[in-house]
Amino acid sequence: MNNVAVIGSQWGDEGKGKIVDWLSSEADIVVRFQGGHNAGHTLVIDGVTYKLRLLPSGIVRKNKISIIGNGVVIDPWALLDEIEEIRSKGVMIGIDNLIISESANLILPFHKEMDEIREDAAGKAKIGTTRRGIGPAYEDKIGRRSIRVMDLISEKNLDQRLETVLLHHNAIRKGLGKNIFKKDKLKEDLLKIAPKILKFSKPVWKKIYEFKKQKKKILFEGAQGILLDVDHGTYPFVTSSNTVASAAATGSGCGPNSINYVLGITKAYTTRVGEGPFPTELKDDIGEKLGTRGKEFGTVTSRKRRCGWFDGVLVRQTIKISGIDGIALTKLDVLDELDEIKICVAYEIDGKEIDYLPAAVEDQLKVKPIYKSYKGWKSKTKGIKKLDDLPPNAKIYIKELEKFIETKISSISTSPERNDTILIEDPFKS
Ligand code: IMP
């Protein structure tokens, strides 16, 4: 039996929530391993919509254990609000089904403020972050001055840790002409909520080891997408964590050999929120149509997503970077009404044809897509559950896409509903 890592193969928002939820019927354990409440996973179950940000998608299923790993950055207030919101929809959340790593780093209010200060000051160079404090929190983690879940246990320790981190932040704030962030009120606020967080806190690496020994099936749930990876994405227009599959191991405390199958979630077209290069972006009626039919608005920030044709060059690249074994193709039904559908098969830069996205942002902004066109199927695929029932032109599009990205498509999602999925290969069993 496999353990499976699910990751986005584009710029996030590929529809991971639905696929993870659907796969979690088979899994025993669902683990978030990076990112924070910048992620937004929407699940629609029996007509009820659940919007998850920090909680693993397994939380809405009975008899599953959800884990927030050490690689996640946690805004403790956002987490507690989310727990309450999901509980109010009738979902049970307690120490039996939620575990939080004691080593996870906290996002604190001065991180959010720093994110906003920087974005506001950057003008045209802004990243277009979710303004949740993700970047500044990861910076403090790497800078070894962060506050972690375990630091909430002792008042004395928390006081010292806050002293250290605020020394750094207040120096920058002073330089930027901002007010000094006061330690005492923050410490008081943190100590007030500490018991509510600490009750979930455990050594995650040890729990995962035990679950592995018990032959439990583990699903690692990635957030964002590979093109937002801090090393492999469209830097600097990226998030501040590693979103590739191997981050599942470091972000939860198990070896890379604990991941047996990497499932890449891929939208049948491309979207991106925030700034940065997007070679196949469509700033025309077709782009608008994709956005409207695909309901392309951010789960977290409600921002309109930029839309464009499927970029085969990019997806082929992210498949290689992250060792993706199979693709779950999502939102095929959004293309149902189009006369013509295009796939980007190469780029042109300075008169030369290239088969990958260059690393420099200046070059990424310069590349021009070279397309191959396909006839649309002009009929409804929404809700189809068998491959044979797809219209012939949809089958051609999928086959061509599969051939181009050199990786098998193991499932196809035809609506946001949990059961509207064509299963070709089960990642847990292949
Ligand atoms: P940050 O993660 O808030 O720092 O934002 C950095 C970049 O990642 C921005 O372009 C965001 O729009 C993008 N981003 C962050 N989280 C998500 C996500 O869950 N889906 C899509 N884009 C995201």
Side-chain angles (χ1 to χ4, degrees):
M1 267 318 162
N2 286 332
N3 295 324
V4 177
V6 171
I7 52 169
S9 74
Q10 293 152 318
W11 276 291
D13 308 315
E14 297 93 350
K16 290 183 288 296
K18 171 189 155 165
I19 303 291
V20 172
D21 167 55
W22 175 68
L23 286 172
S24 61
S25 66
E26 271 190 82
D28 303 299
I29 320 287
V30 184
V31 185
R32 271 284 306 269
F33 54 88
Q34 49 71 228
H37 65 316
N38 50 348
H41 291 174
T42 307
L43 313 182
V44 184
I45 301 160
D46 299 331
V48 183
T49 301
Y50 301 87
K51 287 190 189 291
L52 300 175
R53 291 173 287 274
L54 268 165
L55 291 169
S57 299
I59 202 77
V60 296
R61 294 225 180 220
K62 289 204 177 91
N63 305 321
K64 310 284 169 194
I65 295 175
S66 290
I67 296 182
I68 298 180
N70 54 280
V72 175
V73 279
I74 302 174
D75 176 327
W77 292 278
L79 176 63
L80 294 175
D81 285 351
E82 189 177 330
I83 290 175
E84 281 320 307
E85 193 185 315
I86 299 300
R87 274 185 182 147
S88 75
K89 300 196 172 190
V91 176
M92 201 285 292
I93 303 177
I95 55 168
D96 292 334
N97 68 338
L98 178 65
I99 300 173
I100 300 176
S101 167
E102 52 187 7
S103 317
N105 293 260
L106 298 184
I107 301 182
L108 296 174
F110 52 82
H111 291 128
K112 185 174 180 328
E113 285 181 28
M114 188 60 77
D115 204 350
E116 288 184 329
I117 292 168
R118 284 203 197 128
E119 282 288 275
D120 288 340
K124 278 196 170 156
K126 74 172 188 216
I127 307 284
T129 72
T130 58
R131 295 175 174 249
R132 296 290 188 271
I134 307 292
Y138 275 117
E139 284 171 38
D140 280 348
K141 170 182 173 173
I142 302 303
R144 297 165 290 193
R145 52 182 173 264
S146 186
I147 312 283
R148 301 192 288 171
V149 167
M150 66 180 80
D151 292 319
L152 299 175
I153 297 173
S154 137
E155 196 254 67
K156 191 168 159 235
N157 173 54
L158 182 62
D159 192 272
Q160 280 168 4
R161 302 291 305 155
L162 282 173
E163 196 72 53
T164 307
V165 72
L166 284 174
L167 184 71
H168 174 84
H169 275 264
N170 280 334
I172 300 174
R173 290 169 73 105
K174 248 192 247 168
L176 293 168
K178 303 289 169 188
N179 62 337
I180 294 298
F181 201 97
K182 300 262 172 42
K183 180 187 72 181
D184 290 345
K185 168 82 171 70
L186 176 59
K187 187 174 80 179
E188 200 182 297
D189 290 346
L190 279 170
L191 289 171
K192 227 183 269 168
I193 57 161
K196 294 186 190 173
I197 300 285
L198 286 170
K199 73 175 183 188
F200 297 108
S201 142
K202 295 196 177 112
V204 160
W205 61 271
K206 196 161 184 290
K207 296 302 293 180
I208 292 190
Y209 184 73
E210 285 163 17
F211 292 139
K212 272 181 7 193
K213 272 180 74 175
Q214 293 161 13
K215 303 260 183 275
K216 301 273 189 210
K217 276 191 264 179
I218 307 175
L219 184 61
F220 296 94
E221 176 182 10
Q224 291 88 43
I226 301 171
L227 293 167
L228 289 172
D229 183 282
V230 69
D231 285 286
H232 299 288
T234 44
Y235 191 93
F237 299 98
V238 292
T239 192
S240 297
S241 63
N242 282 114
T243 57
V244 288
S246 40
T250 43
S252 63
C254 61
N257 55 355
S258 301
I259 305 156
N260 314 105
Y261 189 102
V262 180
L263 181 67
I265 315 297
T266 304
K267 217 181 265 193
Y269 49 101
T270 313
T271 62
R272 156 160 226 180
V273 260
E275 309 303 315
F278 183 171
T280 62
E281 183 171 14
L282 292 167
K283 292 182 177 162
D284 58 7
D285 283 356
I286 298 175
E288 281 294 316
K289 216 181 217 171
L290 291 174
T292 313
R293 271 188 68 88
K295 299 196 176 65
E296 297 295 354
F297 292 92
T299 316
V300 174
T301 55
S302 305
R303 284 180 294 176
K304 201 171 166 183
R305 294 179 188 142
R306 300 154 65 192
C307 296
W309 292 122
F310 184 84
D311 192 333
V313 178
L314 276 186
V315 172
R316 191 176 55 187
Q317 186 163 328
T318 59
I319 285 172
K320 288 179 179 153
I321 286 169
S322 207
I324 288 173
D325 296 297
I327 290 290
L329 190 68
T330 61
K331 292 190 138 182
L332 184 72
D333 55 298
V334 173
L335 307 179
D336 282 356
E337 285 177 3
L338 299 176
D339 297 316
E340 184 194 28
I341 300 170
K342 294 184 183 178
I343 297 178
C344 170
V345 292
Y347 298 131
E348 193 224 291
I349 184 165
D350 301 329
K352 271 196 232 129
E353 195 174 310
I354 53 168
D355 63 357
Y356 69 99
L357 189 72
V361 73
E362 309 78 63
D363 291 337
Q364 294 177 353
L365 288 166
K366 260 200 310 201
V367 297
K368 290 197 187 75
I370 299 172
Y371 289 116
K372 217 171 153 182
S373 287
Y374 298 89
K375 263 203 187 126
W377 42 92
K378 307 273 286 175
S379 60
K380 194 174 147 209
T381 61
K382 195 174 171 128
I384 288 181
K385 295 181 184 66
K386 285 198 211 125
L387 198 57
D388 280 348
D389 293 344
L390 286 175
N393 284 352
K395 282 189 204 156
I396 293 172
Y397 179 69
I398 291 164
K399 272 281 148 227
E400 287 286 311
L401 205 141
E402 193 171 43
K403 203 164 76 191
F404 186 78
I405 60 179
E406 299 164 19
T407 305
K408 58 183 169 273
I409 291 177
S410 60
S411 61
I412 301 163
S413 162
T414 55
S415 104
E417 282 290 337
R418 184 184 266 182
N419 295 322
D420 290 342
T421 308
I422 301 167
L423 177 66
I424 300 160
E425 171 183 271
D426 184 339
F428 281 108
K429 294 185 185 138
S430 65

